[in-house]
Amino acid sequence: MRKINKKSLCLAAVALTLTAGISAGTAMAYFTTYTEASGGVTLNMGFSETIPKEDFSNWTKHVSVENTGDYDCYVRVKALAGSKYQDGLQYSDSDGKWTPGEDGYYYYSDPIAPGESTSVLDIRIDSKESDASFNVVVVQESTKVLYNENNEPYADWTQIADTSETTGE
């Protein structure tokens, strides 16, 4: 019978230990990667909602928009009066923050923070000396404030916050 050398036996034990140690790390990574958990967390994504406020006096509608949502937003306003009276609408504001767009909307230049309101936009109505009854409807829309790579705010009017649809502007 052959004698086993103590030195060979120790080397074999060390080799076996190193091999087991190397593969144990891989096995541990497998078992720690795949796990299950239970429970739940309530996640509130928030919303953007705006409410127009209108006062009427001396043939002028005084319009402002309040942000009652959770995010800053931009707003725009448009008045509709019918074909006979539409050209007679005159827009003005005291602080110069409302600017006309090519699409008939008036855009507020600053983002509106939650709980804040825009300045007043005055819409003067020319009755054209008519005795007929007519109505002027004010439409407002808002969109959430987005930020570019320089952290400057901008509005994307293809994503209107007040509707469930995306417009194709």
Side-chain angles (χ1 to χ4, degrees):
M1 206 179 214
R2 193 169 161 196
K3 284 188 172 186
I4 299 178
N5 197 354
K6 283 185 179 183
K7 187 177 182 180
S8 299
L9 188 57
C10 285
L11 284 175
V14 169
L16 182 63
T17 304
L18 287 175
T19 304
I22 292 172
S23 63
T26 306
M28 286 299 292
Y30 174 79
F31 287 117
T32 58
T33 301
Y34 300 97
T35 185
E36 290 185 22
S38 62
V41 154
T42 302
L43 182 61
N44 182 4
M45 299 298 286
F47 64 97
S48 257
E49 185 178 7
T50 53
I51 298 175
K53 295 182 179 181
E54 299 178 26
D55 291 323
F56 181 76
S57 63
N58 298 325
W59 289 97
T60 303
K61 275 201 172 189
H62 309 283
V63 180
S64 65
V65 181
E66 180 184 6
N67 181 358
T68 60
D70 298 322
Y71 299 110
D72 293 357
C73 65
Y74 281 102
V75 296
R76 66 183 181 179
V77 170
K78 183 180 200 177
L80 305 170
S83 58
K84 181 176 179 182
Y85 303 102
Q86 189 70 36
D87 293 337
L89 298 179
Q90 300 168 356
Y91 296 81
S92 65
D93 68 308
S94 60
D95 59 2
K97 293 195 177 203
W98 290 97
T99 56
E102 294 178 5
D103 53 2
Y105 282 95
Y106 271 71
Y107 293 83
Y108 196 70
S109 60
D110 297 337
I112 308 303
E116 300 290 321
S117 295
T118 65
S119 62
V120 175
L121 175 64
D122 293 324
I123 306 171
R124 177 109 173 102
I125 302 163
D126 182 1
S127 67
K128 303 202 179 197
E129 303 299 324
S130 173
D131 292 335
S133 176
F134 66 95
N135 195 9
V136 176
V137 177
V138 176
V139 177
Q140 65 85 29
E141 295 178 335
S142 68
T143 186
K144 186 176 167 184
V145 174
L146 301 174
Y147 294 91
N148 64 16
E149 60 275 356
N150 298 325
N151 205 28
E152 297 166 342
Y154 71 95
D156 180 2
W157 287 104
T158 62
Q159 299 178 8
I160 297 171
D162 298 327
T163 65
S164 60
E165 300 177 11
T166 300
T167 64
E169 285 187 57

